Amino acid sequence: MAYPYVSDREVRVLSKYFGDPMQRRVDTYVERGGYQALKKAFEMGQDAVIDEVKASGLRGRGGAGFPAGLKWSFMPKQPTKPHYLLCNADESEPGTFKDRELLRWDPHQVIEGVLIASYAIRAKQAYIYCRGEFFETTQILAKALEDAYEKGYVGKDIMGSGNDIDITVHVGGGAYICGEETGLMNSLEGRRGQPRVKPPFPAAVGAFGMPSTVNNVETLSAVPHIVTHGGQWYRQWGTEKSPGTKLFCVSGHVNKPGNYELPLGFPLMDLINDVCGGMKDGKALKAVIPGGSSVPILDAQECADCNLDYEGVQTAGSMLGCASVIVMDEDTDIVKQVRRMVQFYAHESCGQCTPCREGSAWMLQILKRIEEGRGTEEDLQTMLDMSRQMTGTTICVLSDSVGAPVVSSINKFKDEYLALIRRGERVGVA
Ligand SMILES: Cc1cc2nc3c(=O)[nH]c(=O)nc-3n(C[C@H](O)[C@H](O)[C@H](O)COP(=O)(O)O)c2cc1C
Ligand code: SF4
């Protein structure tokens, strides 16, 4: 089965077997070198594994880009309580569709990454927290896990090493907020999936009150390769501060949308024009959201020199986030797109914090009003003020995510708001 679109500019490390269902079989995975990194990790010892991942410069692929090895090093070295590794497979950010593909095409790669990370942080129990709607993906993962247990790669005395690590696949409740690491922990414990106030941080008080580490599926998928080949090998791609390859989920108005694994630092315009076959129907580029719906929108001019690494996207005026690139052509109604994003966040707000709960709902009302031609110019200033009050004032950053598209769109596409306000001709919302 061919994977829909591939490009010869890709560096397929994590996605090498996308489109090949044989890779799901434990025997095939092992024939192709699988579970050897785990064996090597056991021989290296916990601290050497952490050092190697630190040396690779691998940064968390769940959005924040926090260095993975450093995060692991925060866990106690001499456990006095159980430790937990939580693999975040809740993937719900609009525009993001990479983790489900890693789980679907190469579940053993994820399982091996989970095992190595668990070993490194001295956890004997790991959970893979899967988004509730991932029915097929969860089935594939559960079958792979069963096979790995049967072959002795998971469970007691793994490969005769004396190491015990159990993995449980946990199906989430289907709420976006359960992807936030402490919301995930609450959900896993059977509570409401509401984020917790930090500190305490998960490495001190995490799942079930025990030291825990949360990592994204893509982060953990990179780990077996780093252990096999070494941290320096991983650094052959990417930049000094953003090493390695990254899966870019491209959606919107391009000819070949899809998942592309590319070195970090790849030029955004090459991604659109070359890898993705250019703009659909030859239309002009209007804007790009480079990192999933929670980051600021870039206009066409800002896209021109933007390199897709953590620093490069920041320099351009946005954030790499989880590298979900949403491409919008000249015909895109920016106000409508922003309203749809805010609608998503207003619906997904867990309601604990007043600025987020009330702010997102009110912001949605204002945007609908503008779309319907009943807005005023003061509404724009009101939304900017609200965004300021909603940023950095809440338990988690979902509230900030509402402000990012609103502020950036008002700053960069104010004319579109003004046109709607002035014409006052639009009726109803889609
Ligand atoms: C509202 C919200 C939703 C999130 N959803 C996800 C998600 O679906 N998957 C994910 O890996 N991280 C998500 N994150 C980030 C996690 O909190 C956490 O930083 C990440 O799982 C850590 O893994 P990493 O260090 O490997 O990136 C979310 C964060 C927030 C604030
Ligand atoms: S910011 Fe929003 S989603 Fe996050 S904890 Fe507060 S109310 Fe919940």
Side-chain angles (χ1 to χ4, degrees):
M1 195 191 303
Y3 200 64
Y5 296 121
V6 290
S7 160
D8 54 14
R9 296 191 68 182
E10 280 186 272
V11 180
R12 298 182 73 186
V13 178
L14 276 56
S15 61
K16 184 172 177 189
Y17 295 106
F18 278 14
D20 178 1
M22 292 301 283
Q23 181 71 358
R24 296 170 185 158
R25 297 179 62 243
V26 66
D27 291 342
T28 309
Y29 185 73
V30 171
E31 275 161 32
R32 292 172 173 172
Y35 291 112
Q36 288 308 304
L38 178 63
K39 191 163 179 264
K40 184 175 174 189
F42 289 157
E43 287 159 8
M44 288 165 71
Q46 283 102 338
D47 294 339
V49 172
I50 294 178
D51 287 345
E52 204 59 60
V53 173
K54 271 187 182 169
S56 75
L58 173 68
R59 295 172 65 168
R61 306 301 195 214
F66 193 83
L70 184 62
K71 188 188 270 192
W72 296 1
S73 72
F74 296 154
M75 292 289 282
K77 294 279 184 291
Q78 306 289 339
T80 54
K81 302 171 182 173
H83 288 186
Y84 296 113
L85 186 279
L86 311 177
C87 171
N88 192 341
D90 194 51
E91 189 174 61
S92 320
E93 174 91 352
T96 313
F97 44 87
K98 62 185 179 66
D99 295 342
R100 69 198 73 183
E101 294 294 272
L102 287 163
L103 289 162
R104 205 156 72 92
W105 293 113
D106 214 335
H108 289 287
Q109 179 177 248
V110 181
I111 292 169
E112 190 170 8
V114 166
L115 290 164
I116 296 171
S118 302
Y119 171 70
I121 65 159
R122 297 152 169 95
K124 294 190 181 305
Q125 173 71 53
Y127 293 91
I128 305 178
Y129 185 101
C130 283
R131 176 173 165 180
E133 293 90 341
F134 285 173
F135 301 113
E136 188 212 10
T137 307
T138 307
Q139 272 175 8
I140 291 170
L141 176 65
K143 168 78 176 93
L145 184 60
E146 196 183 306
D147 294 347
Y149 259 107
E150 213 167 273
K151 298 278 179 183
Y153 297 119
V154 188
K156 296 267 170 287
D157 190 21
I158 296 170
M159 291 185 277
S161 65
N163 293 299
D164 305 337
I165 303 167
D166 283 300
I167 301 178
T168 304
V169 175
H170 183 93
V171 179
Y176 170 67
I177 198 59
C178 293
E180 194 282 336
E181 58 186 10
T182 56
L184 185 152
M185 289 171 195
N186 275 338
S187 171
L188 184 68
E189 292 176 15
R191 302 168 200 266
R192 275 190 187 188
Q194 292 183 316
R196 301 175 182 171
V197 175
K198 291 187 269 191
F201 291 97
V205 183
F208 310 101
M210 303 298 161
S212 305
T213 295
V214 184
N215 274 133
N216 172 259
V217 168
E218 187 185 351
T219 317
L220 293 169
S221 296
V223 167
H225 301 281
I226 291 167
V227 169
T228 300
H229 303 287
Q232 283 311 312
W233 167 87
Y234 191 67
R235 283 185 172 276
Q236 70 182 290
W237 303 290
T239 67
E240 177 61 29
K241 289 184 178 165
S242 300
T245 63
K246 174 86 192 76
L247 278 161
F248 290 90
C249 316
V250 190
S251 61
H253 301 134
V254 288
N255 283 315
K256 294 193 257 175
N259 271 309
Y260 297 98
E261 186 171 359
L262 297 162
L264 279 160
F266 198 83
L268 172 56
M269 293 315 296
D270 282 11
L271 176 66
I272 295 173
N273 292 329
D274 184 9
V275 175
C276 296
M279 295 295 292
K280 205 158 176 268
D281 302 325
K283 294 267 171 70
L285 176 69
K286 182 189 249 183
V288 169
I289 302 176
S293 60
S294 53
V295 306
I297 301 170
L298 296 176
D299 62 26
Q301 209 181 343
E302 290 168 319
C303 293
D305 297 319
C306 176
N307 288 337
L308 295 167
D309 54 88
Y310 294 95
E311 293 70 32
V313 180
Q314 204 172 356
T315 305
S318 186
M319 289 184 285
L320 185 67
C322 34
S324 315
V325 181
I326 304 170
V327 181
M328 293 177 267
D329 72 16
E330 56 189 314
D331 295 337
T332 307
D333 180 338
I334 294 285
V335 180
K336 180 178 174 186
Q337 293 313 317
V338 171
R339 188 264 299 160
R340 288 172 60 147
M341 284 186 255
V342 171
Q343 192 162 342
F344 171 80
Y345 290 114
H347 182 258
E348 297 296 335
S349 166
C350 82
Q352 285 187 101
C353 319
T354 309
C356 177
R357 184 187 64 241
E358 298 296 319
S360 59
W362 281 107
M363 197 84 92
L364 179 59
Q365 294 307 319
I366 297 173
L367 284 163
K368 280 185 175 174
R369 193 162 72 211
I370 294 174
E371 259 193 307
E372 290 166 3
R374 295 184 291 110
T376 63
E377 278 195 53
E378 291 79 68
D379 282 339
L380 302 185
Q381 190 54 49
T382 305
M383 287 200 292
L384 291 175
D385 291 344
M386 284 171 71
S387 297
R388 196 168 26 79
Q389 289 167 31
M390 291 170 71
T391 302
T393 55
T394 51
I395 295 174
C396 86
V397 294
L398 186 144
S399 187
D400 306 39
S401 304
V402 182
V406 171
V407 173
S408 55
S409 64
I410 294 176
N411 287 339
K412 295 168 195 176
F413 299 97
K414 194 171 180 181
D415 287 353
E416 296 201 21
Y417 284 95
L418 292 176
L420 284 171
I421 290 166
R422 292 197 180 128
R423 278 205 308 268
E425 63 187 11
R426 192 124 163 205
V427 279
V429 285

